[in-house]
């Protein structure tokens, strides 16, 4: 509890004294941002020597495996600890059953192997969810009414996680919000010799409108066709429910916890970190990134200080790591300022 000075303490107490000089501001700074806090999301596509810009996310591109490997070498050289890998799945291999999600010769397993072979010490985090692989764009398998069914989806997610772990993924990150999936994945990993494969659970993933540019990037917008994910992603109005979801995932074996999106949910990050003390991460999602880019391009905001302020907000709220499309750029800024 912060004590409050008695009335009349001024002018003896002047908080502005410590703000006057750069050295004293640095000495009392409570939160710090370094490259150790950054995770770079990336999009991988089929092909060779191929890149495609994501129109709704300026500066972000889909890359074929060979070009992504070269980019990962840059990330590692900048000191970025890990990437989060997302597939751009060809329409031809999407299906109602999402079988491509656990194809050991599929795009993600091949990308994992190539990256770990070239940059073995760069952490590789893979998305465990079915939306890139389903014709309907939902994160799970559906029944005849279109409802996403839980147990069948969890069985598919277990196969997907094992496929990624077998290819060399360091961390599997279930982002689907099915009930019980963390425990099922943890048990499957243990049973198959992957006891050191970590689980980063998207424990509090909200049914947010900030995801639209991401869906463009992975090509799932058209498949979703106006449908929503309200039956499994969380209501943005709820905070207590987030703590319950986090508690369940920790009990099931999650090693790290994710809150998504980021800035609109700083209160959730704070509450989760205070309640559980677990490694806590936030995802500054595509819509947040796109807003900064658009405002900066118009000259309405100065990009670098605004982005770094946002990062400091995540750190102040309790984040141990931040997934952000700005990770590479931030690493360059921090290097230049060192």
């Amino acid at each position: 509890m912060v004590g409050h000075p008695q009335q009349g303490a001024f002018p003896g107490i002047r908080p502005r004294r410590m703000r006057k000089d750069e050295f004293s501001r640095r000495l009392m700074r409570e939160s710090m941002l370094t490259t150790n806090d950054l995770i770079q999301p990336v999009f991988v596509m089929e092909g060779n020597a191929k890149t495609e810009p994501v129109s709704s996310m300026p500066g972000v591109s889909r890359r074929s495996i060979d070009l992504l490997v070269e980019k990962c070498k840059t990330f590692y050289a900048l000191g970025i600890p890990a990437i989060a890998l997302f597939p751009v799945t060809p329409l031809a291999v999407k299906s109602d059953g999402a079988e491509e999600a656990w194809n050991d010769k599929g795009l993600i397993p091949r990308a994992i192997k190539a990256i770990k072979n070239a940059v073995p010490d760069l952490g590789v985090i893979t998305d465990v969810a079915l939306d890139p692989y389903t014709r309907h764009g939902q994160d799970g398998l559906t029944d005849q009414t279109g409802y996403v069914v839980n147990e069948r989806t969890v069985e598919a997610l277990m196969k997907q996680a094992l496929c990624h772990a077998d290819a060399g993924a360091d961390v599997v990150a279930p982002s689907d919000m099915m009930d019980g999936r963390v425990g099922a994945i943890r048990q499957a990993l243990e049973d198959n010799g992957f006891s050191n494969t970590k689980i980063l659970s998207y424990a509090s993933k909200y049914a947010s409108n900030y995801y639209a540019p991401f869906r463009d990037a992975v090509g799932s917008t058209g498949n979703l066709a106006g449908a929503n994910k309200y039956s499994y992603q969380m209501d943005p109005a709820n905070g207590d429910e987030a703590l319950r979801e986090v508690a369940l995932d920790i009990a099931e074996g999650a090693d790290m916890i994710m809150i998504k999106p980021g800035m609109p949910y700083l209160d959730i990050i704070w509450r989760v970190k205070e309640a559980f003390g677990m490694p806590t991460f936030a995802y500054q999602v595509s819509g947040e990134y796109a807003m900064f880019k658009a405002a900066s391009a118009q000259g309405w905001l100065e990009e670098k200080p605004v982005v770094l302020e946002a990062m400091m907000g995540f750190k102040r709220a309790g984040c141990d790591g931040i997934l952000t499309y700005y990770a590479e750029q931030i690493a360059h800024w921090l290097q230049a300022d060192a």
Side-chain angles (χ1 to χ4, degrees):
M1 180 67 70
V2 177
H4 295 284
Q6 296 296 315
Q7 274 190 325
F10 179 84
I13 297 175
R14 291 178 180 264
R16 287 184 58 196
R17 284 195 196 104
M18 287 296 288
R19 299 181 202 139
K20 177 181 179 294
D21 299 305
E22 172 65 14
F23 82 87
S24 53
R25 290 193 296 270
R26 288 169 57 196
L27 285 170
M28 72 169 187
R29 191 161 290 148
E30 299 171 25
S31 302
M32 298 293 291
L33 176 70
T34 75
T35 53
N36 295 334
D37 301 311
L38 304 174
I39 299 169
Q40 177 73 59
V42 295
F43 300 106
V44 63
M45 64 189 300
E46 294 286 5
N48 188 59
K50 191 175 179 182
T51 182
E52 292 178 354
V54 180
S55 60
S56 56
M57 300 174 67
V60 173
S61 294
R62 312 173 187 93
R63 291 181 172 85
S64 54
I65 292 174
D66 54 328
L67 296 185
L68 180 58
V69 166
E70 294 305 308
K71 197 66 174 170
C72 285
K73 293 177 182 177
T74 299
F75 299 148
Y76 183 71
L78 285 168
I80 294 171
I83 62 162
L85 187 58
F86 298 95
V88 183
T89 308
L91 185 60
V93 298
K94 294 187 180 188
S95 65
D96 292 338
E99 290 83 2
E100 184 65 17
W102 56 90
N103 176 5
D104 61 5
K105 296 180 175 58
L107 178 60
I108 288 295
R110 285 185 281 119
I112 296 167
K113 291 175 183 177
I115 293 165
K116 295 303 291 184
N117 182 60
V119 201
D121 293 329
L122 180 68
V124 174
I125 302 168
T126 60
D127 184 48
V128 176
L130 303 185
D131 51 321
Y133 305 97
T134 54
R135 289 196 184 102
H136 46 67
Q138 296 287 357
D139 292 33
L141 307 181
T142 59
D143 63 15
Q144 292 180 342
T145 70
Y147 180 73
V148 175
V149 294
N150 200 88
E151 278 75 0
R152 283 176 50 217
T153 296
V154 169
E155 289 176 10
L157 297 172
M158 290 164 60
K159 296 177 187 176
Q160 185 182 22
L162 285 173
C163 175
H164 293 181
D166 188 56
D170 301 291
V171 183
V172 292
S175 65
D176 55 286
M177 289 299 288
M178 297 299 112
D179 293 334
R181 89 277 203 216
V182 170
I185 290 170
R186 182 74 270 163
Q187 191 60 56
L189 292 170
E190 296 294 328
D191 291 345
N192 287 274
F194 299 112
S195 59
N196 285 324
T197 301
K198 303 165 187 65
I199 296 178
L200 168 59
S201 171
Y202 288 60
S204 297
K205 182 178 181 180
Y206 286 85
S208 173
N209 293 296
Y210 284 86
Y211 302 149
F214 175 90
R215 290 170 184 163
D216 288 342
V218 298
S220 65
T221 302
N223 299 85
L224 200 55
N228 63 62
K229 303 188 177 185
Y230 298 157
S231 73
Y232 49 98
Q233 294 179 358
M234 288 180 52
D235 187 334
N238 294 352
D240 293 345
E241 184 186 12
L243 271 68
R244 183 182 180 205
E245 287 280 4
V246 169
L248 289 169
D249 284 4
I250 292 171
E252 290 177 22
D255 301 290
M256 297 164 276
I257 295 301
M258 174 85 79
I259 290 86
K260 180 182 181 183
M263 286 183 66
Y265 298 90
L266 291 175
D267 61 317
I268 306 301
I269 296 166
W270 173 262
R271 292 178 68 184
V272 166
K273 188 65 174 181
E274 287 289 292
F276 302 105
M278 284 285 290
T280 302
F281 295 74
Y283 199 145
Q284 186 189 49
V285 299
S286 57
E288 298 174 72
Y289 173 86
M291 289 193 302
F292 281 134
K293 281 292 183 182
S296 301
Q298 292 292 328
W300 297 333
L301 291 174
E302 189 176 349
E303 187 173 29
K304 177 182 173 180
V306 167
V307 171
L308 293 179
E309 183 178 339
M311 293 300 110
M312 200 57 69
F314 288 125
K315 291 297 294 179
R316 191 183 63 250
C319 281
D320 299 290
I322 306 154
L323 279 78
T324 173
Y325 300 97
Y326 272 110
E328 181 183 7
Q329 182 63 71
I330 292 169
H332 281 293
W333 286 335
L334 294 175
Q335 194 176 77
D337 291 344

